[in-house]
Amino acid sequence: MVPVQIKRFATDRSGAVDGGLYVDGKACFSGQTPRVSALIYCRNGGKTLPRAIESILSQDYDDIEILVADGNSEDNTISVLREYSDKIHYWRSEEDSCASEGQNKVLSWASGEFFFFVNADDWIDCKFVSSALNALDHKDSDFVFGDCTLYRGTMIDKISRGRAEYDKYIYRYHSIPTVSVFYRHRFYEICGPVDCCYKTASDYEWFLRATRRGLKGSYDPSLHVYMTLGGRSAPSHWRDAWDLLLRAEEWRIQVLYGVHPWRASLNYGLEAARRVVSHLLIHLGLSGVRSWLPAGIRR
């Protein structure tokens, strides 16, 4: 095994706490396979964080670096992180301004040739990493993505499927299930960090930026991840969903990337209608009806 030099990620912020294998000087990698960085950024996700971590630990691939940036949680998140300190390579809890700042922070720590994100309320199949690496070995791509099953509580809400021709649709809506993406590190080197100006659509802007800069993605149906509704970009309550619509970040991003304002308004109107219909059916207890709708509406 190849030992890794201890690294502390210093900050001027007071009240920060950290831990993990890097801090204790116990981190080792085989050095025989590419290192993969599993990145978690969270706040008050203590209830579901163990499931996310365990899904990473269950992978059939060994050289995985686990990094967690916590936004000064007020629940039991820090207790969970301390419990897993002998399995997490590095974790740090400190106040941040938004989720995107936490995302950029943990992304800047990654030392792997590849990386992927697992939010506190997400989890992945045990073959996710090995399948993603195999897909990238056979494709001339900078990232690969698959499908995502979304849960509302313990019930399946829907399956968000990736599109092989995502680049044909990306200027109309976010056609990539973000939580299913597995990246080469050069994606970050070329695109830089996500834009913290956007509260819920920063990933959408990131992929448009990647498309503009010539990076290529590939869809692979063997990749599957799971997500529980209720986060910032996938709210479970209608009030939060309404607030998300009024913010209209996707419209602003499309205009920024050259889509005519009228076209962007049409795109956003169709997206808003889809979300309203979806939430209305759920409110009426008719969520199963969505399986009868055209794919473009129920996606």
Side-chain angles (χ1 to χ4, degrees):
M1 300 291 282
V2 179
V4 176
Q5 183 179 1
I6 302 172
K7 52 181 179 180
R8 300 298 292 266
F9 304 96
T11 178
D12 294 332
R13 294 175 179 170
S14 60
V17 292
D18 65 0
L21 294 170
Y22 286 150
V23 174
D24 297 334
K26 298 179 179 178
C28 289
F29 297 97
S30 71
Q32 299 175 358
T33 55
R35 187 181 307 174
V36 175
S37 298
L39 311 179
I40 300 175
Y41 58 100
C42 60
R43 186 174 189 276
N44 295 333
K47 290 183 179 180
T48 55
L49 182 58
R51 180 182 63 188
I53 296 173
E54 288 291 346
S55 74
I56 299 171
L57 295 173
S58 70
Q59 295 299 298
D60 62 354
Y61 185 87
D62 292 331
D63 285 350
I64 301 177
E65 167 190 63
I66 305 177
L67 306 169
V68 185
D70 173 62
N72 195 25
S73 289
E74 298 172 344
D75 64 353
N76 67 325
T77 296
I78 294 178
S79 296
V80 172
L81 293 173
R82 284 178 171 147
E83 179 182 348
Y84 281 93
S85 279
D86 61 338
K87 297 179 176 67
I88 296 174
H89 291 78
Y90 186 74
W91 64 267
R92 188 176 192 90
S93 180
E94 62 186 347
E95 186 176 356
D96 51 36
S97 61
C98 62
S100 294
E101 182 183 349
Q103 183 177 3
N104 285 333
K105 186 188 306 178
V106 72
L107 184 54
S108 71
W109 299 343
S111 66
E113 295 179 43
F114 306 89
F115 68 90
F116 65 98
F117 294 102
V118 180
N119 295 326
D121 50 4
D122 305 339
W123 67 102
I124 56 179
D125 283 333
C126 63
K127 295 183 178 294
F128 176 79
V129 171
S130 58
S131 296
L133 287 170
N134 181 65
L136 281 176
D137 279 344
H138 292 86
K139 300 176 187 293
D140 183 21
S141 302
D142 301 289
F143 61 95
V144 291
F145 59 95
D147 302 325
C148 175
T149 298
L150 291 90
Y151 281 79
R152 189 173 298 274
T154 58
M155 302 293 292
I156 294 178
D157 181 81
K158 68 174 182 177
I159 299 178
S160 178
R161 300 195 182 279
R163 288 177 175 263
E165 297 180 321
Y166 74 93
D167 50 343
K168 288 179 57 177
Y169 302 94
I170 198 166
Y171 286 93
R172 290 167 50 192
Y173 56 82
H174 194 356
S175 49
I176 301 171
T178 304
V179 296
S180 71
V181 182
F182 188 89
Y183 309 76
R184 295 187 189 273
H185 195 272
R186 69 182 182 220
F187 185 104
Y188 175 57
E189 295 170 353
I190 294 173
C191 289
V194 300
D195 193 334
C196 293
C197 292
Y198 305 106
K199 292 184 178 180
T200 57
S202 57
D203 288 337
Y204 180 46
E205 190 278 332
W206 210 33
F207 282 102
L208 279 174
R209 195 190 318 168
T211 302
R212 180 68 61 86
R213 296 185 181 182
L215 297 180
K216 303 293 185 181
S218 298
Y219 170 67
D220 192 307
S222 70
L223 302 182
H224 207 105
V225 300
Y226 306 89
M227 173 183 179
T228 303
L229 292 171
R232 58 179 180 142
S233 59
S236 58
H237 196 279
W238 69 268
R239 290 191 183 90
D240 297 326
W242 181 248
D243 178 66
L244 182 63
L245 287 175
L246 292 179
R247 197 173 294 131
E249 289 186 351
E250 292 179 8
W251 180 90
R252 290 162 45 200
I253 291 169
Q254 288 182 19
V255 172
L256 176 67
Y257 278 87
V259 178
H260 192 282
W262 284 107
R263 179 62 184 176
S265 297
L266 176 60
N267 293 342
Y268 196 72
L270 293 172
E271 179 69 6
R274 184 193 66 81
R275 292 180 181 177
V276 168
V277 169
S278 179
H279 279 270
L280 180 61
L281 290 173
I282 291 168
H283 180 71
L284 295 175
L286 301 172
S287 58
V289 173
R290 287 183 301 170
S291 62
W292 305 341
L293 301 175
I297 297 177
R298 70 173 186 268
R299 63 173 184 80

